Amino acid sequence: MRSTLFVCLLAFSASVPAWAQSTTAPAPPSTTAATNLEGVTVTGVQPGPGLWKVSKGDHVMWVLGTLSPLPDHMQWKTDEVEQTIAESQEVLGPPSVALKPKTNFFGKLFLLPSLIGARKNPDGQTLQQMVPAPDYARWLVLKQQYLGNDRSIEDWRPIFAAVELYDKAIKRHGLTSSGGVKDAVRDLAKKHNVKFTTARYTMLVEEPRTAVKTFKTSSMDDRECFGRTLDTVERDMGRITERANAWATGDIETLRGLPMNDQREACISAVTEAGFAKQLGFNDVQQKAQATWMEAAQQALANNTQTFAMLPMEEVLSPHGLIARLKAQGYQVEAPDGSDAEGVAPAQ
């Protein structure tokens, strides 16, 4: 559910901004062939989805499609990935977005109090007042099932309540949002002394206090995001689990046949189409992050004999995704099962 844009904006509007959070040092790379991805559903050592090959001439980029959520309590067998990284000159991370406030250290500290309560509805409205009555009735049932009697969430904007519900639901179904895949790749790059490039679009927030005030006082049409999330939690957890298992076992055919977006697009639209997003310049950061990745990928393909890259699975499989864009620009694309970008098997 959490795209780079969505995570970025949620972090910006949470009680502590992303740039002020402490980070935990990554664990040292495993010396075993399998990297532990804690959880349930599919268990044991699993191969993952394999690697897509993007090439032009004798220059190749191997792409790992990432997915969220993934099965908890499984081990990702990283032999192929580790060998590919070790033989590469560069590892390219997925598209990402960072918001950087234009202020010094003390300015950031003074900004913290203004972020408190940013998740709440403007004008003191409750969640019940913000969403349609049928959706609120469904919410009460699902809230009791996954969140218990937490009353504070009743003051939150629908989009934040939806994220909280979804996160608790996937955990209950033996899934985990990250799976540790990106950290494992970063650790392997460090282990083999391979350059890691972060494909990040950084947006400078000129007046962070004003930005926070604008966000806190602005409305957002996030009712569709809320309703679609309820639909997902009520009816689609089995499909999400099937998709997670398909990633773990390398079942590309099943991955192609299952939708990737769930409620995410509705939630992203709620943010990017809001008036405050356009006013603050947030509305097109996702496109800018994708453009940043494309530029970095093309440069890596030109400069390196071999590159390893990560992309969200929807960008790998979608006919409008970043892999499809590379193919349209003349690069050769081959899926792990030997088919092309559209899943068509090569001619015999």
Side-chain angles (χ1 to χ4, degrees):
M1 177 176 181
R2 296 190 173 191
S3 71
T4 54
L5 167 65
F6 198 43
V7 169
C8 186
L9 293 182
L10 291 181
F12 181 76
S13 56
S15 58
V16 180
W19 41 261
Q21 294 174 5
S22 63
T23 56
T24 302
S30 172
T31 57
T32 65
T35 301
N36 187 36
L37 310 180
E38 306 173 348
V40 173
T41 328
V42 164
T43 59
V45 178
Q46 300 295 337
L51 302 175
W52 272 255
K53 181 181 180 182
V54 179
S55 61
K56 179 175 284 189
D58 59 355
H59 288 213
V60 62
M61 181 171 69
W62 296 98
V63 180
L64 173 68
T66 60
L67 186 68
S68 178
L70 287 174
D72 222 358
H73 288 331
M74 82 164 191
Q75 289 180 309
W76 176 36
K77 185 176 174 62
T78 58
D79 300 63
E80 179 188 8
V81 166
E82 179 165 6
Q83 182 177 349
T84 305
I85 289 174
E87 296 171 353
S88 298
Q89 292 80 57
E90 183 178 358
V91 172
L92 178 61
S96 62
V97 177
L99 300 183
K100 182 179 180 181
K102 188 177 181 180
T103 182
N104 59 26
F105 174 75
F106 292 103
K108 293 175 183 177
L109 290 181
F110 285 117
L111 179 61
L112 290 177
S114 68
L115 288 162
I116 297 173
R119 286 181 294 188
K120 291 186 177 182
N121 285 306
D123 302 323
Q125 291 181 297
T126 65
L127 187 60
Q128 184 175 9
Q129 294 172 309
M130 296 293 293
V131 301
D135 281 351
Y136 186 73
R138 291 196 295 154
W139 157 259
L140 289 178
V141 174
L142 293 170
K143 176 191 170 187
Q144 186 62 40
Q145 182 178 355
Y146 292 107
L147 301 174
N149 296 317
D150 183 358
R151 297 185 62 84
S152 63
I153 200 170
E154 293 294 328
D155 296 327
W156 289 12
R157 292 176 185 257
I159 193 170
F160 289 108
V163 169
E164 186 72 8
L165 175 66
Y166 179 84
D167 283 350
K168 292 296 190 293
I170 63 172
K171 289 177 183 177
R172 185 77 61 84
H173 285 81
L175 301 167
T176 177
S177 60
S178 68
V181 171
K182 295 175 187 176
D183 288 341
V185 168
R186 188 183 293 271
D187 288 345
L188 289 171
K190 183 177 181 180
K191 176 182 177 181
H192 293 283
N193 296 314
V194 178
K195 173 186 176 183
F196 189 98
T197 299
T198 302
R200 176 178 297 141
Y201 172 72
T202 301
M203 178 178 175
L204 184 66
V205 181
E206 294 285 347
E207 299 181 13
R209 284 181 176 272
T210 301
V212 172
K213 182 178 179 181
T214 300
F215 177 86
K216 290 173 70 172
T217 58
S218 298
S219 61
M220 184 192 308
D221 188 5
D222 48 3
R223 289 171 296 180
E224 182 179 358
C225 165
F226 184 78
R228 291 283 297 277
T229 302
L230 298 182
D231 293 341
T232 297
V233 174
E234 279 182 333
R235 302 195 295 264
D236 292 340
M237 295 308 300
R239 175 174 55 78
I240 290 173
T241 300
E242 181 184 7
R243 188 179 66 195
N245 287 341
W247 186 97
T249 60
D251 187 348
I252 305 302
E253 183 177 356
T254 296
L255 284 172
R256 284 196 178 102
L258 291 171
M260 290 286 161
N261 291 328
D262 305 322
Q263 72 282 12
R264 182 177 55 245
E265 291 305 320
C267 294
I268 292 174
S269 295
V271 175
T272 58
E273 294 177 9
F276 75 85
K278 296 175 182 178
Q279 180 180 344
L280 299 174
F282 293 166
N283 55 306
D284 62 349
V285 292
Q286 186 176 31
Q287 290 79 10
K288 289 179 177 177
Q290 291 172 338
T292 299
W293 189 92
M294 281 289 290
E295 182 179 353
Q298 291 168 325
Q299 184 174 347
L301 277 159
N303 296 341
N304 305 325
T305 303
Q306 180 167 300
T307 304
F308 184 94
M310 289 183 286
L311 273 179
M313 190 60 78
E314 60 265 34
E315 296 290 352
V316 174
L317 295 178
S318 169
H320 308 292
L322 293 174
I323 291 295
R325 293 190 208 176
L326 287 173
K327 184 180 179 182
Q329 294 183 12
Y331 295 91
Q332 299 296 313
V333 175
E334 183 179 325
D337 58 4
S339 62
D340 64 12
E342 287 75 35
V344 178
Q348 298 296 322

